[in-house]
Amino acid sequence: MGLEISSPIIVGSCGLTSDIETIKKIEKAGAGAVILKSIFEEQILNETSNNVRNQEFYTFPEAYDYVMNYSQSHAVDKYIDLIQKAKQTVKIPIIASINCISSAEWLNFATNIEQAGADGIELNMFLLPSDVNMTTDDVERFYEDTIRIIRRAVRIPISVKISNHFTDLAHFVQRLSLMSIANINIFNRFMMMDVDIDELKAKPAHITTNKDEIYETIRWTAILSNVVKCPLTAGGGVHNEADAVKLLLAGANTVQIVSSLYDKGIDFITECNEFLAQYMLKHKYNTIEEFRGKISLKSNQPSAFLRVQFMKYFSDMK
Ligand SMILES: Cc1cc2nc3c(=O)[nH]c(=O)nc-3n(C[C@H](O)[C@H](O)[C@H](O)COP(=O)(O)O)c2cc1C
């Protein structure tokens, strides 16, 4: 994002980053930057217009009531206060985060975030492409329109956090990266869904990621790092110190961690930094740039490479 950071390990948006004392610990543990817990579009709209728009969006029973309750007053003031306090307390960059489902009037709030002193804004665009009436173009236009409007509203760098649910992921990510944004963060993760077989109800599955999710992140980092025209943050499934090195080798500029901090504690950041330093010493690298992207899929045909791997390993397995 054009920000100077002392480590490529950054802490992603989550509950831990909504508390000043924890942010202090995160800095002390050696994180390069911190992305604050997201403020939701609904929270902003509820205060600015005293009305949560997109009411028709919440057709699920009780969802609208929940959202109205969740977006109680003062969320906006509290968020601005969090940014200001974080900026006064720590030296590492503070990135504010907005979780949005439309490109509506909440966008004005971005200016408040900038004025509060945030070093950047991350947009977590939360659109699961599940509406049969929405085409690929409609979905992608939402991302582009939102970026265009917010880019006009603020001067601080903008990071865009996306999910991997796109038909033309590589093409789309490249298009986004050409829109004068400062960073792309892969991946945003939707709540996992499970089923209560006795109550006959849908229920949320585990909230944190597991260690196997890293492989999907490695694959896409290796593919996308060669097509993006802006820096790339990779995250999702970093549960082992070596995972951060793997993502840098795949071409990430920064590596984001969240779940492992819940599982192992904030010290995991220090362990990742120490492992990275040891790795660089072992391989005689003086800078990250000397090895970043070394295993990215440089060829024009990563799918051919991955197809051959599939044929080689899956078809031979007895
Ligand atoms: C408890 C929890 C809260 C989260 N809250 C947010 C959030 O407010 N905004 C956001 O963009 N991502 C949020 N995330 C997603 C993380 O930032 C991250 O993208 C995801 O957990 C994958 O990274 P990980 O494998 O290191 O956990 C949250 C994740 C967890 C586990």
Side-chain angles (χ1 to χ4, degrees):
M1 293 179 82
L3 302 167
E4 206 155 301
I5 52 177
S6 58
S7 162
I9 311 293
I10 63 172
V11 175
S13 180
C14 65
L16 296 170
T17 61
S18 62
D19 170 66
I20 293 293
E21 285 311 307
T22 314
I23 293 174
K24 267 164 59 180
K25 287 183 195 152
I26 287 171
E27 177 177 57
K28 199 159 168 234
V34 65
I35 304 168
L36 298 180
K37 165 96 189 130
S38 304
I39 183 162
F40 287 80
E41 171 181 330
E42 292 85 341
Q43 293 177 293
I44 302 166
L45 288 184
N46 193 32
E47 283 185 45
T48 51
S49 58
N50 206 21
N51 174 22
V52 175
R53 297 286 156 81
N54 295 309
Q55 189 166 349
E56 68 280 8
F57 182 81
Y58 298 101
T59 48
F60 196 67
E62 296 162 25
Y64 184 70
D65 287 345
Y66 177 80
V67 169
M68 285 306 285
N69 260 336
Y70 186 80
S71 26
Q72 278 163 355
S73 55
H74 309 310
V76 166
D77 285 349
K78 277 189 199 144
Y79 202 71
I80 294 297
D81 193 49
L82 174 67
I83 298 170
Q84 287 170 338
K85 286 220 172 80
K87 282 302 295 171
Q88 286 157 13
T89 316
V90 296
K91 291 201 171 64
I92 54 174
I94 296 293
I95 318 293
S97 164
I98 304 179
N99 184 313
C100 56
I101 47 167
S102 76
S103 45
E105 64 202 75
W106 63 265
L107 280 154
N108 296 330
F109 180 65
T111 341
N112 302 22
I113 284 181
E114 181 170 45
Q115 282 160 4
D119 296 287
I121 296 186
E122 180 163 279
L123 294 181
N124 175 350
M125 301 196 206
F126 200 82
L127 203 65
L128 182 70
S130 57
D131 183 344
V132 288
N133 296 314
M134 273 185 109
T135 65
T136 304
D137 281 350
D138 294 334
V139 173
E140 294 183 359
R141 199 172 309 115
F142 155 64
Y143 285 78
E144 289 168 344
D145 287 350
T146 310
I147 292 170
R148 234 173 254 122
I149 301 172
I150 203 156
R151 222 185 35 200
R152 277 201 297 268
V154 296
R155 284 158 181 252
I156 50 176
I158 299 163
S159 173
V160 174
K161 188 175 188 182
I162 59 160
S163 78
N164 58 358
H165 297 279
F166 289 95
T167 311
D168 50 354
L169 189 56
H171 172 82
F172 180 58
V173 164
Q174 184 173 71
R175 247 172 52 210
L176 289 187
S177 71
L178 288 164
M179 292 189 71
S180 306
I181 56 172
N183 190 62
I184 290 190
N185 183 345
I186 57 169
F187 284 114
N188 180 18
R189 188 168 173 272
F190 298 107
M191 189 72 223
M192 297 291 146
M193 183 176 155
D194 197 359
V195 175
D196 184 322
I197 58 172
D198 294 315
E199 295 287 326
L200 306 184
K201 270 187 184 167
K203 63 174 187 181
H206 46 88
I207 294 170
T208 51
T209 57
N210 67 57
K211 65 179 177 40
D212 288 339
E213 293 183 40
I214 190 69
Y215 304 119
E216 185 73 354
T217 310
I218 291 175
R219 181 222 310 269
W220 283 110
T221 306
I223 294 172
L224 297 179
S225 61
N226 265 306
V227 302
V228 287
K229 305 293 180 197
C230 68
L232 186 72
T233 297
V238 176
H239 286 263
N240 181 304
E241 298 86 339
D243 292 341
V245 173
K246 290 178 188 177
L247 291 177
L248 293 170
L249 282 165
N253 295 85
T254 47
V255 173
Q256 178 191 271
I257 52 179
V258 169
S259 293
S260 47
L261 302 183
Y262 283 92
D263 295 346
K264 302 172 192 230
I266 305 293
D267 286 347
F268 181 64
I269 300 167
T270 317
E271 286 155 24
C272 286
N273 278 331
E274 284 171 1
F275 186 91
L276 175 60
Q278 286 302 322
Y279 174 82
M280 289 174 69
L281 211 59
K282 181 175 161 194
H283 293 275
K284 303 191 172 45
Y285 294 130
N286 294 312
T287 66
I288 289 172
E289 281 311 306
E290 284 171 36
F291 67 95
R292 194 176 69 78
K294 271 205 183 273
I295 64 98
S296 67
L297 297 175
K298 288 211 171 54
S299 104
N300 286 332
Q301 293 181 311
S303 59
F305 167 79
L306 294 169
R307 183 166 173 78
V308 171
Q309 302 305 306
F310 184 86
M311 286 161 80
K312 205 164 146 189
Y313 294 103
F314 280 70
S315 53
D316 280 352
M317 194 161 163
K318 300 278 184 309

